[in-house]
Amino acid sequence: MMLDFSAYDLQFIGVSTQTITNFVSKNTFCDSLFLQNFSQMNMAALRFKAFGPLSFLEYEAGVPISRSSFKASDALFIHIILAGESREQGLSGRILRTGDFIFIMPNDPFLSSDSLDCKKLIIKIPTDFLHQTAHEFGYLLSTGAMLFDSKVHPFPMIGPLFNLLNDMLQQDSTMLGEPALVYYGKLLNSAILTLFRHHFDQGMPSKKPLHRHVKQILLYVQDNITADITVDVLAGLCQISRKSLYNLLEREVGLTPSSYVRRLKLEKAHSELKSNERVKNVTQVALKYGFTNLGRFSAQYREQIGELPSQTLRDGSQ
């Protein structure tokens, strides 16, 4: 499989697998590599580079190995088999051959056995950065853990994803500014979100017209965004029962009434933190929109927006 990893921060050639193990563990790509054959101790090779928020790691151990993952909660991993074979011993018992790839989700443990000639490229994408991209490209962030299709996929050898990844692997990241590196990363995230099944739902803008009651609720919340808006208030506004309101919003936007109101408030809070120069601190904005528990506000904001509110405020003030 032809991916040209020709620009890198570090390269090891003809080193021991222990050297590779230490580096991989230190950079949290996996917690350990276990040798199955000790007869070839200096055949391993590795290339690594950081590319803005993303990291790329390519390795070949030169001996059959087993590799067990840690349960990382802060990153999505993409494993691409460039040569040889890798047999995952997880729940699904997946077998990956040259040209295949899989997603390793946050908190998803696995144990894989790599063949003697296995060569693997791993892409590490922080979950915060992926959520941020999803939000900016108009995806609604579903509740629950991040989830992509767990099947083994053939990596597309033509098209925008292949071309973009190949370009990133050949780019000298030291020659690019941080905005360019982030932009490349967002393009890669967008290509992944577009091509593969996931739990993000494409949100606004949507071609589907809003139900008239959803329009009523949207306009009412926007006009009263700092008020404490209850389910009873919204049901009365639409002149329907609480049960009908729950059913309506579940069907139309996939959220409960309270979750829908919270999403609109968080979007407004994000806009204010990002663009209002008079905002001095996060607490000021959180309280303005009715979030009295600052820890919960930060967690909910991070889940929806993809970054902490303090980060949005810092970026907006630069």
Side-chain angles (χ1 to χ4, degrees):
M1 180 176 178
M2 297 302 295
L3 280 169
D4 183 12
F5 197 168
S6 56
Y8 36 81
D9 299 338
L10 290 170
Q11 177 176 239
F12 300 130
I13 297 177
V15 296
S16 71
T17 307
Q18 187 61 52
T19 300
I20 302 298
T21 299
N22 293 340
F23 182 87
V24 169
S25 300
K26 181 179 178 180
N27 289 275
T28 61
F29 277 85
C30 90
D31 63 349
S32 53
L33 297 168
F34 299 105
L35 287 174
Q36 295 175 328
N37 185 331
F38 291 89
S39 62
Q40 302 177 48
M41 291 295 293
N42 295 295
M43 298 294 291
L46 176 146
R47 291 188 179 99
F48 168 84
K49 78 170 169 182
F51 198 91
L54 308 184
S55 300
F56 300 107
L57 177 84
E58 178 188 281
Y59 79 87
E60 45 191 326
V63 296
I65 62 171
S66 292
R67 178 170 47 86
S68 65
S69 82
F70 63 106
K71 295 184 178 180
S73 60
D74 61 350
L76 170 76
F77 293 90
I78 300 175
H79 290 220
I80 306 172
I81 308 303
L82 304 177
E85 183 178 283
S86 180
R87 294 174 175 264
E88 188 192 339
Q89 307 301 314
L91 295 176
S92 56
R94 295 168 287 193
I95 300 176
L96 292 88
R97 298 181 174 86
T98 302
D100 289 339
F101 84 98
I102 53 171
F103 294 103
I104 304 297
M105 268 68 73
N107 294 310
D108 187 8
F110 69 99
L111 177 66
S112 65
S113 298
D114 298 344
S115 65
L116 171 68
D117 59 343
C118 183
K119 183 177 181 181
K120 186 174 293 186
L121 174 69
I122 305 176
I123 306 170
K124 180 180 178 182
I125 306 175
T127 52
D128 285 357
F129 183 56
L130 184 61
H131 277 83
Q132 179 185 354
T133 305
H135 177 78
E136 291 183 8
F137 281 80
Y139 291 89
L140 301 178
L141 307 188
S142 304
T143 58
M146 179 186 300
L147 185 63
F148 277 80
D149 191 330
S150 62
K151 296 178 181 178
V152 175
H153 301 273
F155 192 83
M157 293 299 295
I158 58 172
L161 179 58
F162 176 84
N163 294 335
L164 180 62
L165 178 58
N166 219 15
D167 189 28
M168 295 170 76
L169 293 174
Q170 296 174 62
Q171 286 274 3
D172 183 351
S173 57
T174 63
M175 302 298 291
L176 300 172
E178 187 64 24
L181 295 173
V182 171
Y183 180 69
Y184 264 104
K186 288 181 178 180
L187 288 179
L188 186 72
N189 286 350
S190 178
I192 293 167
L193 290 167
T194 300
L195 291 174
F196 304 105
R197 294 176 60 187
H198 49 76
H199 83 148
F200 298 119
D201 299 317
Q202 188 71 50
M204 309 267 186
S206 172
K207 296 180 180 179
K208 178 183 177 181
L210 288 176
H211 187 282
R212 61 186 180 89
H213 286 328
V214 179
K215 283 183 180 179
Q216 281 182 288
I217 293 169
L218 175 60
L219 293 174
Y220 180 84
V221 174
Q222 289 175 340
D223 289 341
N224 301 273
I225 195 70
T226 60
D228 181 16
I229 303 171
T230 65
V231 175
D232 289 333
V233 166
L234 297 179
L237 174 71
C238 300
Q239 297 184 334
I240 58 177
S241 67
R242 287 170 58 96
K243 182 178 180 180
S244 296
L245 177 66
Y246 272 90
N247 291 339
L248 170 72
L249 289 178
E250 176 65 30
R251 183 179 69 248
E252 295 294 319
V253 297
L255 297 169
T256 65
S258 297
S259 297
Y260 185 56
V261 171
R262 182 172 65 245
R263 179 165 74 84
L264 295 176
K265 284 176 174 282
L266 287 170
E267 287 178 354
K268 184 65 175 177
H270 173 255
S271 177
E272 186 156 344
L273 286 167
K274 186 175 182 180
S275 59
N276 191 338
E277 295 180 355
R278 292 176 295 178
V279 174
K280 301 302 181 184
N281 56 64
V282 170
T283 302
Q284 171 188 347
V285 173
L287 294 177
K288 177 179 179 179
Y289 294 105
F291 298 95
T292 56
N293 187 316
L294 299 181
R296 189 175 301 151
F297 168 71
S298 292
Q300 292 170 340
Y301 185 98
R302 183 175 184 174
E303 180 180 359
Q304 178 167 316
I305 305 301
E307 63 184 12
L308 288 170
S310 55
Q311 180 64 50
T312 305
L313 181 61
R314 281 197 302 271
D315 291 346
S317 61
Q318 293 177 355

